[in-house]
Amino acid sequence: MLIKRPDDIRSSDITSESIYKERRRFMQGAIGAGLVAGIGLNIPSDATAKEKAIINQDFPKLPKSAFNISDELTTYKDITTYNNFYEFGTDKSDPARYAHTLQTRPWSIRVEGEVENAGNIDIEEVLKLFTLEERIYRLRCVEGWSMVIPWVGFPLQALLKRFKPTSKAKYVMFVTKNDPKQMPGVRNTLLHWPYVEGLRIDEAMNPLTLLAVGLYGNVLPNQNGAPLRLVVPWKYGFKSIKSIVEIRLVEKPPITTWMRAAPSEYGFYSNVNPEVSHPRWSQKRERRIGHFFKQDTLMFNGYGEQVADLYTGMNLTKNF
Ligand SMILES: Nc1nc2c(c(=O)[nH]1)N[C@H]1C(S)=C(S)[C@@H](COP(=O)(O)O)O[C@H]1N2
Ligand SMILES: [Mo]
């Protein structure tokens, strides 16, 4: 995020393999890598045999969500090898390389603060209690790249309601695990640990806001935020906090990790907005990982119909 400028992405992060794939798609015609309509999730036609073997193993028959978009899916390989998870290093390839040291069992999440029933919930209980579904969402990183990810998850509101937020619960704060033994990157003082994110309560309760436990019909790989991570599709990727251990309902907006690191660059809202530039680069266009040409970034990442109402009357240049 902070470290690389979008211009750096072109040379170093778009692999020659991706460019090769893009050319092949181009030759195959505009529909290119069309999706194989199969059992369970759509599998990109260029998925390797190994990828196909992984896909749909853990959650084979997921209900599809009405919120699913029809954009071509990013490949399993790109989604799981091109990551931001600074607890495991700042390079995009670091999380896939180093996150295997994260122990995701036993794992419990503490829900506390302005709730009637503060307490812990074990990840196994989470998997039993909530109805999982497939949610295909765009993810737009503040750096200028994007992906299309078939998540497995359930609405955050279902979990919050179980703990009964009080009338003082105006914001929700999320906290990532912070263990230097399992997460070598937290020795780096570039960011303040643990990683913290926040939402306004109405954003948290919006039906689009997801807690994800998997992707491509399989449990989340550690590098994608196992065992439980947030997904807020109309906000820049960094709001979607990984490997959550604490959810705290609060009265005041929490100071998030990126606000603390660079308050003039990262605000509390961080809504995807092509009209509001990052101080060091434009947000008008984005590069879909696996594609060669850039495309226009959509207001609220294309989710305006569902979420624009949340911001009526607000100045989104000030509240960036
Ligand atoms: N705990 C934690 N969560 C995090 C991050 C991080 O460094 N630490 N990076 C964020 C950023 S900048 C992005 S773009 C997304 C990337 O999610 P993905 O790797 O699953 O695509 O995770 C977000 N969640
Ligand atoms: Mo990001």
Side-chain angles (χ1 to χ4, degrees), residues 226-245:
L228 185 76
R229 61 91 58 84
L230 184 69
V231 181
V232 194
W234 71 94
K235 294 178 182 276
Y236 290 115
F238 63 91
K239 296 297 278 187
S240 292
I241 181 171
K242 296 176 169 180
S243 305
I244 297 167
V245 292

Side-chain angles (χ1 to χ4, degrees), residues 1 84 140-143 145 236-238:
M1 296 233 338
N84 272 335
R140 168 62 158 81
C141 179
V142 74
E143 288 168 294
W145 51 267
Y236 290 115
F238 63 91

Side-chain angles (χ1 to χ4, degrees), residues 1 78-80 82-89 92 95 139-143 145 147 149 151 175-177 183 191 193-197 215 220 223-225 229-230 236-244 258:
M1 296 233 338
D78 283 339
I79 295 171
T80 59
Y82 188 91
N83 301 101
N84 272 335
F85 199 170
Y86 277 29
E87 286 85 339
F88 297 98
K92 294 286 179 294
L139 180 141
R140 168 62 158 81
C141 179
V142 74
E143 288 168 294
W145 51 267
M147 295 194 188
I149 302 180
W151 299 109
V175 185
T176 294
K177 190 180 185 75
M183 302 169 136
L191 292 180
W193 311 104
Y195 194 100
V196 168
E197 260 306 336
L215 58 83
L220 278 181
Q223 60 267 36
N224 293 88
R229 61 91 58 84
L230 184 69
Y236 290 115
F238 63 91
K239 296 297 278 187
S240 292
I241 181 171
K242 296 176 169 180
S243 305
I244 297 167
W258 286 103

Side-chain angles (χ1 to χ4, degrees), residues 154-161 174 199 204 209-211 230 247:
F154 60 96
L156 169 65
Q157 56 159 275
L159 182 130
L160 293 181
K161 281 176 185 163
F174 303 85
L199 295 173
T209 306
L210 199 72
L211 281 173
L230 184 69
I247 299 176

Side-chain angles (χ1 to χ4, degrees), residues 62-69 133-137 151 153 207-208 210:
L62 291 166
K64 293 180 194 299
S65 161
F67 296 123
N68 287 356
I69 54 163
E133 59 185 46
E134 174 211 75
R135 285 276 180 109
I136 301 176
Y137 282 164
W151 299 109
L208 277 182
L210 199 72

Side-chain angles (χ1 to χ4, degrees), residues 122-132:
D122 194 87
I123 188 66
E124 306 294 356
E125 207 181 333
V126 168
L127 292 169
K128 265 186 238 144
L129 280 173
F130 302 102
T131 310
L132 301 178

